[in-house]
Amino acid sequence: MNTKGNNNPIGVYDSGLGGLSVWRELHAKLPNESLTYLADGANCPYGGRPKEEIRRFADEAVGALIADGAKMVVVACNTATAAAIDFLREKYANIPIVGMEPAVKPAAMATRTGVVGVLATAGSLGGDLFLRTSARYADRARFIAAVGEGFVEIVEQSREATPEAVEAVRRVVEPLLAEGADQIVLGCTHYPFLREVIEQVIGEREVAVIDPAPAVARRVEQLLDQFNLRAAENNKAQYTFQTFASDDYLNRLKNKAFQIISR
Ligand code: DGL
């Protein structure tokens, strides 16, 4: 057994609770890696904010995770990735930083109708990253972008199992289905928490819902090897949580994480 390794945590950051959808994959795939999750919380939602402001929040958060000893950082937020990933990689050049990419490629490869729905925040959809990736696959599919209006707030308040959630999802997803979308890309890390509701709205139709989190976890694993950062095989992983918001928010964050792993 390899008992040598880098047992420092991987830092995971989001505007709020949504990045737990990525944390969940890391937790499952890399059981001996410690994870430290930072939910801004104080400034969530990021979705409609100016890029410069989001960049400042992301800088503060990533800086804090690195100061705490993170050996790698996952920006588990599409909006912060779109606004700040180049800046972060330049500023913290000695730490690998993984961002979120909308899963436009697998959707473009899989679509049979040629129509792909992309759900994300206004910040992500207006950013270069989405425009560039969707332009790259424009010959394979027509992308219809839609903001998940109200989705982040519903997930932040753990109101996924309410009629209000069904209503919010229906309002956004039904027009995509009406246009013939057979792939729905979840381009915001909060949205996988609404997956069951999205599937309920899809009903019997043959429509795939794509969450990029497993691909991000695979990328993290590759980078751990590439930079020789894997924890020792016998490392007992520690899971810590931080926020820029209140103690009450921290408790909600921990509860959601606990619910995820006890499912
Ligand atoms: N979870 C984030 C994302 O992936 C942002 C949600 C928000 O704060 O608006 O885009």
Side-chain angles (χ1 to χ4, degrees):
M1 185 187 280
N2 182 6
T3 53
K4 287 208 177 68
N6 185 330
N7 293 340
N8 280 16
I10 298 171
V12 183
Y13 151 63
D14 180 38
S15 64
L17 309 181
L20 287 174
S21 63
V22 177
W23 179 90
R24 161 173 63 193
E25 295 297 326
L26 296 170
H27 179 272
K29 194 172 174 60
L30 302 166
N32 58 336
E33 293 294 340
S34 292
L35 304 173
T36 178
Y37 186 99
L38 170 58
D40 175 332
N43 303 297
C44 183
Y46 282 5
R49 292 179 184 272
K51 189 172 164 175
E52 294 65 33
E53 192 178 28
I54 300 171
R55 197 179 290 164
R56 193 156 43 76
F57 299 151
D59 184 16
E60 195 184 337
V62 171
L65 285 168
I66 292 173
D68 267 6
K71 61 184 175 183
M72 184 188 293
V73 172
V74 181
V75 179
C77 176
N78 295 71
T79 313
T81 300
I85 198 77
D86 294 340
F87 165 82
L88 294 169
R89 286 190 176 132
E90 205 170 300
K91 176 157 179 184
Y92 304 102
N94 52 345
I95 299 278
I97 301 183
V98 180
M100 300 299 299
E101 255 195 63
V104 159
K105 180 179 173 185
M109 299 301 170
T111 181
R112 284 159 287 112
T113 59
V115 184
V116 170
V118 181
L119 299 177
T121 67
S124 297
L125 294 174
D128 295 346
L129 189 59
F130 172 65
L131 296 178
R132 258 189 285 124
T133 15
S134 51
R136 203 175 310 145
Y137 300 99
D139 55 332
R140 298 195 75 108
R142 179 161 72 89
F143 296 99
I144 309 178
V147 175
E149 227 38 272
F151 291 15
V152 170
E153 291 81 354
I154 289 169
V155 172
E156 285 292 306
Q157 291 151 17
S158 290
R159 286 186 283 124
E160 291 95 330
T162 61
E164 178 202 351
V166 179
E167 202 31 59
V169 168
R170 201 182 291 289
R171 215 174 300 132
V172 178
V173 171
E174 258 173 5
L176 302 177
L177 301 173
E179 292 273 351
D182 68 346
Q183 310 286 318
I184 307 262
V185 174
L186 304 181
C188 167
T189 54
H190 280 73
Y191 298 177
F193 289 104
L194 287 164
R195 186 181 192 121
E196 278 172 32
V197 186
I198 295 170
E199 284 173 347
Q200 184 185 328
V201 169
I202 290 171
E204 295 298 299
R205 284 168 277 220
E206 296 231 338
V207 175
V209 178
I210 308 184
D211 173 4
V216 172
R218 287 196 295 277
R219 179 73 187 137
V220 168
E221 189 169 35
Q222 276 172 2
L223 289 176
L224 287 174
D225 286 333
Q226 189 178 321
F227 289 90
N228 208 12
L229 289 173
R230 275 208 193 246
E233 279 172 42
N234 64 349
N235 182 44
K236 176 136 184 31
Q238 315 266 334
Y239 303 110
T240 54
F241 298 90
Q242 312 172 42
T243 180
F244 295 149
S246 61
D247 286 349
D248 173 55
Y249 192 88
L250 184 62
N251 287 334
R252 286 197 281 129
L253 168 62
K254 288 183 185 167
N255 281 340
K256 210 167 183 88
F258 183 73
Q259 273 168 20
I260 291 176
I261 52 177
S262 45
R263 272 194 171 189

